[in-house]
Amino acid sequence: MRARTMASVAVSACVVLVACACGPDKAKEDTDAKSSQPSTSTSPPAEEQSATPSASARTEKPSAEPTGDQPAPRTKAGAIKRYEQYLHALGREDIDTVCEVARPAAKKAEDQGLGPCTSTYATVFQMISPAQKKALKTATVDPQRVAVRTPVKIEMPVESVRASVTFSESDLGSYTLEYLKNDWYITE
């Protein structure tokens, strides 16, 4: 446990250093620059488009919230599903989903002076290589390597992540998910 704590502290320190180096203004400038870049369209002319919606029109990002009014399953499988949602959002740089799933941990970090989740994870996204982002988009979790500590507290070691690249504690880290307010959230 001590090694895990030290690794978490080291990763947090790296995030703080990068966040301080970039600062919120730098992260905002990068975001503004990306959003102001012109996009090129490869869509065929309107007369060549079919009447059926395109694949991209049908693809929506999964919601970080449980569907409907039903709570998320308070099971190991429910925690794994939520963690995979987080991993996929990291790969897509989906800040809303990442900050939703990691809300309790992000709040702790903000209270310790790291800044709001959106600016902290904007920095984290820059630290993830393109190959790692691609791998995270389809990453899965090996249930055999997940540790159920209590019915509402589950540990997801970095070794549980199955992807086309191998992640280490310094790359991704291990996380604890807790069942709070009818869903699983990253708390550590």
Side-chain angles (χ1 to χ4, degrees):
M1 184 69 176
R2 182 182 171 117
R4 179 174 174 242
T5 302
M6 292 305 293
S8 295
V9 169
V11 170
S12 296
C14 289
V15 170
V16 170
L17 289 173
V18 173
C20 291
C22 289
D25 295 333
K26 174 73 171 139
K28 183 174 181 351
E29 288 171 15
D30 290 347
T31 303
D32 291 345
K34 287 179 183 174
S35 64
S36 66
Q37 292 176 351
S39 64
T40 59
S41 176
T42 57
S43 299
E47 63 273 2
E48 291 180 25
Q49 293 181 359
S50 71
T52 59
S54 69
S56 62
R58 285 176 276 168
T59 307
E60 294 180 19
K61 71 179 182 184
S63 170
E65 296 293 326
T67 56
D69 293 329
Q70 296 195 341
R74 194 169 83 175
T75 62
K76 179 178 174 180
I80 289 171
K81 181 178 177 184
R82 181 75 157 174
Y83 186 57
E84 287 176 346
Q85 186 178 50
Y86 168 81
L87 294 173
H88 300 167
L90 270 179
R92 291 189 318 268
E93 295 189 20
D94 176 358
I95 195 82
D96 294 334
T97 300
V98 167
C99 287
E100 170 60 25
V101 176
R103 186 183 322 150
K107 177 69 174 131
K108 286 179 191 175
E110 184 174 356
D111 292 347
Q112 294 172 355
L114 289 180
C117 181
T118 52
S119 63
T120 302
Y121 270 101
T123 303
V124 170
F125 292 152
Q126 294 173 3
M127 296 167 46
I128 303 171
S129 75
Q132 289 173 322
K133 286 177 188 172
K134 183 177 179 182
L136 285 168
K137 290 177 187 178
T138 58
T140 59
V141 174
D142 180 356
Q144 301 289 332
R145 296 183 177 256
V146 172
V148 178
R149 298 297 176 211
T150 70
V152 295
K153 192 172 194 175
I154 296 181
E155 290 184 23
M156 303 286 180
V158 70
E159 297 84 16
S160 70
V161 177
R162 296 286 173 242
S164 58
V165 299
T166 302
F167 290 95
S168 68
E169 281 290 333
S170 62
D171 295 328
L172 185 62
S174 297
Y175 292 93
T176 299
L177 276 74
E178 290 187 54
Y179 194 81
L180 308 166
K181 300 180 184 178
N182 295 326
D183 209 344
W184 291 98
Y185 293 91
I186 293 174
T187 57
E188 292 179 43

